[in-house]
Amino acid sequence: MDNHVLLTNYLSNLKVDLFMADYNLCGRDWRDLDYTPDYSKFYFICDGEGWLKIGDREYYPKPGQLFLMPEGVKQSYSCISDQPFEKYWCHFSAKVGDINLFKMLELSHVCREVDPHVIQEIFSSLTSHMKSDAVYAHLLAKSKLMELFSYFIMNIDVDEITFKNLSSIEKLTKILTYI
């Protein structure tokens, strides 16, 4: 099956759950090494310096960069100077059916082309809705997460996406197409 069609099928059947989101200034003691979270994360760096390790790749994010840290992948992070990160962040899961998206796809960890004003607006709305006690607020926050995820996919090189477990994926795709 064509990878473009396969990716389109996955994304059209994507279900996200948003767990937490906020904006904060990391402390100088912000650090965790070699852990494997059971949730995914987006970090949007607004200011400061720090270090991320996702799998076997190390990054020194700059302000204006958007990072995806997928669940099930070993990660580390740390403050590296007297100017720790100021960042928006969220914790979430992304599934196609009952399968973690990142068990099927390997995506770039960093979004190359980002309009910081767009990302800041999405995150600002997302965090605002998360803090609201309105009945519909979590639904709006979840829609902003989908918007953020869409923006991320639109601004990475889809030719660099690696499909994992392709034989199982082809079976799932047939089922999704039938549904």
Side-chain angles (χ1 to χ4, degrees):
M1 175 173 277
D2 179 281
N3 284 354
H4 179 81
V5 171
L6 193 56
L7 182 60
T8 301
N9 282 339
Y10 287 171
L11 296 178
S12 66
N13 289 289
L14 185 65
K15 178 184 175 244
V16 296
D17 286 313
L18 180 61
F19 306 128
M20 297 173 26
D22 209 347
Y23 174 86
N24 66 317
L25 171 64
C26 299
R28 291 188 179 130
D29 60 345
W30 182 71
R31 175 187 177 113
D32 202 351
L33 302 176
D34 296 330
Y35 72 103
T36 304
D38 59 356
Y39 52 87
S40 297
K41 300 180 272 189
F42 272 120
Y43 284 175
F44 176 61
I45 309 303
C46 298
D47 201 11
E49 297 177 323
W51 166 78
L52 301 176
K53 185 174 181 184
I54 307 167
D56 60 355
R57 296 184 187 135
E58 293 190 37
Y59 301 95
Y60 294 87
K62 303 280 185 230
Q65 288 187 307
L66 177 63
F67 277 82
L68 170 66
M69 302 174 74
E71 68 185 88
V73 175
K74 189 185 291 187
Q75 302 173 12
S76 300
Y77 58 81
S78 177
C79 178
I80 60 171
S81 77
D82 288 338
Q83 299 167 332
F85 283 146
E86 283 185 50
K87 64 180 175 61
Y88 280 102
W89 57 272
C90 66
H91 295 176
F92 66 96
S93 72
K95 295 182 178 182
V96 177
D98 289 333
I99 301 171
N100 172 349
L101 178 68
F102 305 111
K103 289 188 188 261
M104 296 188 287
L105 297 177
E106 186 173 326
L107 304 174
S108 173
H109 298 136
V110 62
C111 190
R112 291 189 187 120
E113 301 295 323
V114 172
D115 181 340
H117 301 292
V118 170
I119 299 301
Q120 188 168 1
E121 175 57 35
I122 293 170
F123 259 115
S124 179
S125 294
L126 190 155
T127 56
S128 175
H129 295 313
M130 281 297 290
K131 293 175 182 177
S132 172
D133 61 355
V135 173
Y136 53 82
H138 194 75
L139 184 59
L140 288 172
K142 195 172 174 178
S143 74
K144 287 298 180 179
L145 175 58
M146 285 295 276
E147 184 178 349
L148 183 63
F149 201 88
S150 298
Y151 187 93
F152 188 87
I153 296 294
M154 288 172 15
N155 290 286
I156 62 172
D157 185 352
V158 293
D159 293 328
E160 292 179 7
I161 295 174
T162 303
F163 290 83
K164 301 176 180 179
N165 305 316
L166 208 46
S167 64
S168 300
I169 289 170
E170 287 174 345
K171 291 175 188 173
L172 178 62
T173 301
K174 287 179 185 177
I175 292 168
L176 292 174
T177 302
Y178 174 78
I179 291 172

